[in-house]
Amino acid sequence: MRVLFVAFEFPPLGGAGVQRSIQFTKYLPSYDIVPIVVTTDLSSFRRVMDNPIDETLLSDLDPNLIVERIPCQIPWVKAPGRLANWARLFFSVVDPLARYWRPRLDVHIRHLISKYQPAAIYVSIPPFSMGRLWTTIGKFYGLPVILDFRDAWSQFCIGPYMSWLHYRLALREEGACLRAAGRVVCTSEQTRSELLRLHPNVPADKITTITNGYDSEIRSAISPRSDNGSRSSFVIGYVGGFYYTPETRESMLWPWWRKRSHRRLQYAPRREDWLYRSPYFFFRAVRLVLDARPELRRRLRIQFVGDKPSWIDAQVDEYGLRDIVEFRGRLPRKEAIAFQHRCDSLLITSSKVMGGRDYSIAGKTFEYFATGRPILGFVTEGAQRDILEQSGVAVICDPDNAEDADHKIQDLIDGRIQFQPNVGFLRSLHRRQLCGTLADLIKNVSSSQLNRPQPKQTRPETEL
């Protein structure tokens, strides 16, 4: 069985979302499904994406993998002024990438479907504009579409919407894609429950949770170690970004009357504090550790791998940690994985949903599981905390309780915490197992489609 595997974000593009697509294409053939990757080319990535380019990721691809690269047709326009740029943002409900890509897709898609005769179309989103584009293409060719929501869509609230109307239009677009898709995949049970709550006309059995996973031997995932004080240093590491800026936090949390006039219409379906995703509360607890035990300043090292945000020095200086915090910069993926294995513990954080539960599970969580190192989780109520608790390899700290976190960090450094890895659960998170669930889903939705009448083919029209 062949499936068109649409992953606009694909190597050599780097970034968190790329790994999920790479590993699915790696394991699907073992379940008798041949993925035909449909993505764009390097030139287009450089013009339309902010993600880093990491050509070392190409070596991770199966040499037999078929990758069809269709360029984006981006019209040349004069750089807009501030007013024009603001107007473009204000009137946008979804990203423009599908609009850029569609003209060249219209030229190539019929040939691709004729050549490969796929039984279904899998689409990785974001970019969220791919949802409407590919469900329309699937309907036109009589092919079921599986939408993989790597992130929440209408409820992804790092910052507020431009207005209540923008939110309602995004919610409507999300609902239309859910109804048009044959099946929908999401990465946490919290996201699934929220999609079903927001769109009660979507059948519950249409949405399946397939988390991210790891890709190594199980023995490395169930052997966390703790430090017994014999080494000269204890390194707590972190890999990746934080998705936080003080400006977006202000726009989310400030009341309307404190905002500038053009931002007073902003709307958020819920209030999220992404300061909790930053290391701020971790730094606060570390300061208490050093106040109680100054001798640990010679041993404790905190190291970050990834782009250094402009705001982080202020947090480091607020708690007087400049001499123990190191920034390693961005590393190629293989070097970043090696860095994780060298750490004594690995830090993870989560945003805080006011009066609710966080839905996001960071992709790095599963890489951390694979290292066998203890995880130090400064996490709020939600999916991230749930999976860490279930794993048995994490120290859970309440970001709002610095004193309790202080004691737990000391216990971690001194080796007084005994971990009990949940072996069965960790094994279920191997990407080979997770891909089996996806393969079953693709086969089921494809067989169901065979019994449906095929639509009359006219040129597909999309609302982009």
Side-chain angles (χ1 to χ4, degrees):
M1 177 185 292
R2 296 188 183 94
V3 57
L4 284 189
F5 193 95
V6 181
F8 189 88
E9 298 180 11
F10 200 74
L13 192 73
V18 172
Q19 282 301 311
R20 183 172 174 91
S21 296
I22 291 176
Q23 300 306 330
F24 278 160
T25 62
K26 176 180 178 180
Y27 290 110
L28 278 174
S30 64
Y31 294 96
D32 298 322
I33 294 178
V34 178
I36 312 297
V37 176
V38 181
T39 186
T40 193
D41 61 355
L42 179 58
S43 175
S44 299
F45 282 141
R46 286 178 168 154
R47 286 182 292 166
V48 303
M49 301 295 290
D50 294 327
N51 300 41
I53 301 298
D54 185 357
E55 297 194 37
T56 66
L57 292 173
L58 295 171
S59 63
D60 293 335
L61 302 179
D62 186 326
N64 297 317
L65 179 66
I66 301 172
V67 181
E68 296 283 354
R69 296 192 180 273
I70 301 174
C72 288
Q73 183 173 310
I74 305 173
W76 185 90
V77 294
K78 183 179 179 180
R82 292 180 61 183
L83 180 61
N85 189 55
W86 180 87
R88 182 179 62 185
L89 290 173
F90 185 83
F91 291 106
S92 296
V93 176
V94 70
D95 63 85
L97 295 177
R99 187 170 70 249
Y100 296 156
W101 207 23
R102 185 189 171 196
R104 299 299 293 271
L105 278 176
D106 284 345
V107 174
H108 290 89
I109 191 64
R110 186 183 298 275
H111 170 71
L112 292 181
I113 290 177
S114 175
K115 179 179 179 180
Y116 296 111
Q117 296 293 305
I121 302 173
Y122 161 95
V123 185
S124 178
I125 57 176
F128 293 114
S129 63
M130 299 298 153
R132 178 64 70 95
L133 172 63
W134 285 95
T135 52
T136 302
I137 290 173
K139 180 179 180 181
F140 175 67
Y141 288 101
L143 294 172
V145 175
I146 300 97
L147 294 180
D148 185 0
F149 280 54
R150 302 192 325 268
D151 288 320
W153 185 344
S154 64
Q155 307 303 298
F156 190 56
C157 296
I158 293 178
Y161 284 90
M162 297 294 289
S163 70
W164 175 86
L165 179 60
H166 286 77
Y167 167 66
R168 295 302 302 180
L169 291 174
L171 190 67
R172 186 182 72 169
E173 185 78 359
E174 178 182 72
C177 291
L178 291 174
R179 291 188 296 273
R183 292 294 293 271
V184 176
V185 175
C186 55
T187 57
S188 76
E189 279 296 317
Q190 187 65 31
T191 299
R192 179 178 181 272
S193 65
E194 290 183 4
L195 287 174
L196 292 173
R197 175 182 61 84
L198 292 165
H199 306 283
N201 56 345
V202 175
D205 61 358
K206 191 175 190 176
I207 306 178
T208 302
T209 300
I210 302 178
T211 67
N212 288 307
Y214 64 89
D215 189 43
S216 65
E217 296 300 322
I218 187 64
R219 63 176 179 272
S220 67
I222 63 171
S223 303
R225 72 180 185 183
S226 56
D227 182 26
N228 60 11
S230 61
R231 291 190 300 278
S232 60
S233 64
F234 188 92
V235 178
I236 298 175
Y238 183 94
V239 176
F242 296 100
Y243 304 97
Y244 159 79
T245 66
E247 295 77 17
T248 54
R249 181 174 187 258
E250 288 179 359
S251 66
M252 172 65 76
L253 300 181
W254 278 14
W256 67 269
W257 47 267
R258 292 188 61 188
K259 297 180 180 180
R260 298 176 66 178
S261 57
H262 68 281
R263 293 179 177 172
R264 290 182 176 177
L265 291 177
Q266 289 179 336
Y267 174 82
R270 60 185 177 193
R271 286 159 57 87
E272 295 187 31
D273 191 346
W274 283 73
L275 178 63
Y276 285 79
R277 186 69 182 263
S278 83
Y280 180 84
F281 298 94
F282 166 66
F283 288 156
R284 183 175 67 174
V286 169
R287 179 67 205 203
L288 293 181
V289 171
L290 298 181
D291 287 345
R293 297 175 59 184
E295 74 278 5
L296 288 179
R297 188 176 286 273
R298 294 192 301 270
R299 296 184 56 214
L300 182 59
R301 293 292 176 268
I302 301 167
Q303 297 181 352
F304 294 94
V305 165
D307 291 330
K308 181 182 177 181
S310 60
W311 45 261
I312 200 167
D313 277 339
Q315 293 188 358
V316 172
D317 291 339
E318 180 177 348
Y319 292 107
L321 304 178
R322 182 65 69 107
D323 57 324
I324 69 170
V325 174
E326 303 172 17
F327 297 96
R328 306 287 298 275
R330 184 188 299 171
L331 297 177
R333 176 172 170 75
K334 290 182 180 179
E335 293 182 32
I337 295 294
F339 163 80
Q340 293 174 37
H341 281 268
R342 292 193 299 269
C343 292
D344 297 288
S345 183
L346 294 161
L347 174 68
I348 200 108
T349 58
S350 68
S351 68
K352 183 174 184 177
V353 177
M354 308 300 190
R357 288 170 51 83
D358 179 41
Y359 52 86
S360 176
I361 304 175
K364 66 174 67 71
T365 306
F366 305 91
E367 293 181 354
Y368 285 4
F369 288 153
T371 66
R373 299 293 182 259
I375 298 174
L376 180 59
F378 273 70
V379 289
T380 61
E381 291 296 327
Q384 182 71 76
R385 183 176 185 133
D386 291 346
I387 199 169
L388 292 180
E389 288 179 337
Q390 198 168 357
S391 73
V393 298
V395 181
I396 307 296
C397 299
D398 180 355
D400 293 316
N401 190 340
E403 291 76 13
D404 181 63
D406 160 22
H407 298 311
K408 288 180 177 179
I409 293 174
Q410 292 188 51
D411 289 342
L412 177 64
I413 295 173
D414 293 337
R416 291 194 294 265
I417 298 177
Q418 298 297 316
F419 296 95
Q420 296 180 334
N422 186 340
V423 178
F425 175 68
L426 291 172
R427 284 177 175 166
S428 73
L429 299 177
H430 194 286
R431 288 191 175 105
R432 184 184 300 107
Q433 300 294 112
L434 299 169
C435 200
T437 303
L438 177 62
D440 289 342
L441 187 152
I442 292 172
K443 291 175 182 177
N444 289 339
V445 76
S446 300
S447 61
S448 299
Q449 186 72 11
L450 292 176
N451 299 321
R452 298 179 183 176
Q454 298 302 302
K456 182 180 179 181
Q457 292 193 3
T458 57
R459 187 178 184 275
E461 295 295 336
T462 57
E463 299 176 21
L464 301 176

